[in-house]
Amino acid sequence: MKLNLPPAGTLKPNDQHDPLPYYYRPLIGWLYRKRLRMGLDLLPSGGARILEVGVGSGILVPTLSSHFPRYTGTDLVLVDGLQRLVAPSCQTEFLQADLLQKSSLPEASFDVVICLSVLEHIADADGAASALAQTLVKGGTLVAGYPMVNRLMAKLFRTIGFGNIEAHHVTAPATIDRALRRVLRRGARKALPAFAPVSLALYQCAAWIKD
């Protein structure tokens, strides 16, 4: 699935920590866009209903809504203007929702769920994994992506002007991976660099199937 990146200046950040500006910068922008493409590459070709957890500025809304007939986007904070990013033929709903709050998301309602750069922000990895699994229909697919969380990554973030990332990235990939394995079966995986193990990938995405 090809990334349909909105033109620079089209989107609004949903909070002061939104990484939106980095997607359009030279060099580092390639890395930020690469992580989105990794997730898009793992989306199944079938399925009508997709849920995006962590809409943020809406950077994926044009792409996802043009490939799925029904799109639901959620976040803790929703910015104005998300609806104008939606493809004309797509039935769309935006919900202000907390992944860990029970009943905030419909259960067994989605063929596909995509959740990129969200789970590293959540301390309760098991609770987040269970909530994501509950939104899927049987046979549905979750595509989850998350970065390395350690001192090296904190230094890399500081070099691009994003300080104190430790206050936001609180859960390591190995912990997220274990939590998802308890409730879903892992399918294909992509990592940066390619073939890096869970603990050494700068960023990784994996497809998780609900049997």
Side-chain angles (χ1 to χ4, degrees), residues 66-99:
S66 65
H67 284 82
F68 291 89
R70 296 176 62 184
Y71 167 92
T72 300
T74 72
D75 211 319
L76 295 173
V77 177
L78 295 175
V79 297
D80 295 332
L82 289 173
Q83 192 63 47
R84 61 183 170 78
L85 302 172
V86 177
S89 60
C90 183
Q91 296 182 17
T92 311
E93 181 180 21
F94 291 101
L95 300 173
Q96 188 170 345
D98 184 338
L99 183 60

Side-chain angles (χ1 to χ4, degrees), residues 55-122:
V55 174
S57 62
I59 201 161
L60 282 178
V61 172
T63 301
L64 297 175
S65 63
S66 65
H67 284 82
F68 291 89
R70 296 176 62 184
Y71 167 92
T72 300
T74 72
D75 211 319
L76 295 173
V77 177
L78 295 175
V79 297
D80 295 332
L82 289 173
Q83 192 63 47
R84 61 183 170 78
L85 302 172
V86 177
S89 60
C90 183
Q91 296 182 17
T92 311
E93 181 180 21
F94 291 101
L95 300 173
Q96 188 170 345
D98 184 338
L99 183 60
L100 296 181
Q101 184 178 340
K102 291 185 177 181
S103 303
S104 65
L105 294 175
E107 295 188 10
S109 299
F110 300 99
D111 306 300
V112 183
V113 176
I114 185 166
C115 180
L116 302 182
S117 300
V118 171
L119 296 177
E120 69 272 16
H121 296 271
I122 300 175

Side-chain angles (χ1 to χ4, degrees), residues 1 3 35-44 49-56 59-61 63-65 68 70-75 99 105 110-119 132-133 135-136 140-146 184 203-208:
M1 186 181 299
L3 173 64
R35 65 180 186 167
L36 299 184
R37 294 188 179 104
M38 289 165 59
L40 294 175
D41 286 345
L42 292 173
L43 290 175
R49 300 160 297 177
I50 186 168
L51 168 68
E52 182 183 7
V53 176
V55 174
I59 201 161
L60 282 178
V61 172
T63 301
L64 297 175
S65 63
F68 291 89
R70 296 176 62 184
Y71 167 92
T72 300
T74 72
D75 211 319
L99 183 60
L105 294 175
F110 300 99
D111 306 300
V112 183
V113 176
I114 185 166
C115 180
L116 302 182
S117 300
V118 171
L119 296 177
L132 289 169
T135 66
L136 287 167
T141 299
L142 162 70
V143 173
Y146 31 89
L184 298 168
Y203 198 85
Q204 58 197 296
C205 293
W208 300 85

